[in-house]
Amino acid sequence: MDKVTTPTQTAADILRRSGFKKSIQVISNGIDSKRFESHRRDAERVQKKYNLPNKKILLFVGRIDPEKHIDVVLRALPVVLKKMDVHLVVAGRGAESENLEKLAAELNLKENVTFTGYLPEEDLPGLYQASDCFVNAGTAELQCISMLEAMSTGLPVIAADAMALHELVEVGKNGFLFRPGDSEDLAQCILAVLSSKTAEAQMGKRSRELIAPHDIQKVMRSFETLYKEAMKHLVLNKKRRAIDKYFVLSIVFSFLLLVASLIINFYAGQYALKAASNPVTDIVLSNIPVFNVHLAFVYGPVLFWILVLGLCVSKPRRIPLVLKSVVLLMLVRSVFITLTHIG
């Protein structure tokens, strides 16, 4: 594994803090933006189907589980209702559905809250269109798909300042962040968004702009590019392994040739000792001074092999070439020794 993807930078940071060392690329899960662009007729149909009142609609879509903290939204509603008439729609089902319905009754909110239960996919775009603001009080979101869908529809968003939700919110521009678990803070955020039609429209427009990088077509292109890079890297690795395999075989073959050449050189030397040719008489050679070359014969080979070793260490990729060059030298020397001692 060379690289992993995460849907948000927050998720990537969590991986890093946990000790993950590999490369991480942030690519959104993505949504089909066109599906949520405009569904006015669907909005009217959904309003009738779920008997939604003609007033400001605050929407949550998702699993009804403890980590979603929908109770915080319910507890914020009485504060909001003191200043404006709103209706909360909780779309989805989960372990907390029954408890939340009981809480809504305890807070005298039965007329101000609609629990849709299971929501068919075909009702989802219309429900977003029928709403005025999306809210998410969850504290365990690595990326909230329903929030992406709401933004694509053009809704302002309000979210708990927890985990990755802040990555989708430009405070004051497309919505607000509130302190996790703080119903009073959430209530003030809801009032700030829904009290002004102009602010609501501007925030919705900004949500659409911010959602552009999350469009499924762009996401698919990002994954396509990533896969192409991965395949290219895989091919290069295979080529590199093939080259490395050839390189190892070349070193082994060169070493065997070197051993063979040293054996040949040894026997050539033995032949020269046993079958030396007659002394050569030459007017030129006879008048050349005789030098003591004992040191050259002793230290010359040592220096030669130090040079060979140095070349191998400094240029590892040239080891086969160096060894084969030594083999050629040994073979030439063997032939020369043999020819000069035939007698």
Side-chain angles (χ1 to χ4, degrees), residues 64 94-103:
I64 315 301
E96 286 292 292
S97 296
E98 188 177 339
N99 292 334
L100 290 173
E101 289 182 27
K102 289 179 179 178
L103 178 60

Side-chain angles (χ1 to χ4, degrees), residues 98-333:
E98 188 177 339
N99 292 334
L100 290 173
E101 289 182 27
K102 289 179 179 178
L103 178 60
E106 291 172 7
L107 295 171
N108 297 315
L109 295 174
K110 292 190 73 173
E111 299 300 318
N112 301 98
V113 181
T114 296
F115 292 93
T116 69
Y118 169 75
L119 190 76
E121 280 292 316
E122 60 267 22
D123 289 349
L124 196 54
L127 183 58
Y128 286 124
Q129 284 289 337
S131 303
D132 297 282
C133 180
F134 183 86
V135 62
N136 189 336
T139 56
E141 303 280 4
L142 288 179
Q143 187 174 55
C144 180
I145 300 298
S146 58
M147 193 163 166
L148 292 175
E149 294 170 346
M151 291 171 66
S152 183
T153 307
L155 294 183
V157 291
I158 300 172
D161 190 6
M163 293 297 280
L165 291 178
H166 69 277
E167 293 186 34
L168 294 175
V169 181
E170 286 185 355
V171 176
K173 294 182 179 180
N174 79 311
F176 291 96
L177 294 171
F178 67 93
R179 291 183 295 275
D182 191 335
S183 296
E184 181 66 36
D185 194 19
L186 171 56
Q188 297 308 314
C189 291
I190 294 171
L191 291 169
V193 171
L194 298 182
S195 295
S196 168
K197 285 187 176 181
T198 302
E200 185 182 327
Q202 290 175 342
M203 288 183 180
K205 181 181 177 182
R206 183 56 182 157
S207 281
R208 279 201 180 97
E209 293 170 352
L210 290 173
I211 207 64
H214 301 274
D215 181 74
I216 193 63
Q217 296 302 320
K218 291 185 178 181
V219 169
M220 290 301 293
R221 284 195 290 272
S222 296
F223 274 111
E224 200 173 86
T225 300
L226 178 62
Y227 289 143
K228 285 180 179 178
E229 290 175 356
M231 290 301 296
K232 183 179 179 181
H233 186 62
L234 181 63
V235 170
L236 287 175
N237 277 345
K238 284 186 176 180
K239 286 183 177 179
R240 192 175 293 115
R241 284 194 293 268
I243 291 171
D244 289 344
K245 182 179 178 181
Y246 172 79
F247 178 68
V248 171
L249 290 174
S250 183
I251 289 179
V252 172
F253 180 67
S254 300
F255 181 76
L256 293 175
L257 285 178
L258 178 62
V259 172
S261 68
L262 290 173
I263 293 172
I264 292 171
N265 190 72
F266 171 78
Y267 281 108
Q270 293 298 309
Y271 171 78
L273 290 175
K274 293 180 180 180
S277 63
N278 295 324
V280 178
T281 301
D282 186 277
I283 190 170
V284 177
L285 293 177
S286 299
N287 289 283
I288 293 177
V290 177
F291 295 96
N292 184 357
V293 292
H294 178 72
L295 290 177
F297 276 100
V298 173
Y299 294 107
V302 175
L303 292 175
F304 171 76
W305 287 110
I306 289 175
L307 175 62
V308 170
L309 182 62
L311 287 172
C312 290
V313 172
S314 62
K315 304 283 185 180
R317 302 300 300 182
R318 295 187 180 179
I319 290 176
L321 176 63
V322 172
L323 294 181
K324 288 172 184 175
S325 298
V326 173
V327 168
L328 182 61
L329 177 64
M330 292 294 104
L331 291 176
V332 169
R333 184 175 184 276

Side-chain angles (χ1 to χ4, degrees), residues 2 4 6 9-25:
D2 297 305
V4 299
T6 61
Q9 186 59 49
T10 299
D13 293 341
I14 290 172
L15 275 179
R16 286 282 179 235
R17 288 197 296 271
S18 67
F20 188 79
K21 302 296 183 183
K22 299 277 186 174
S23 177
I24 302 173
Q25 185 168 340

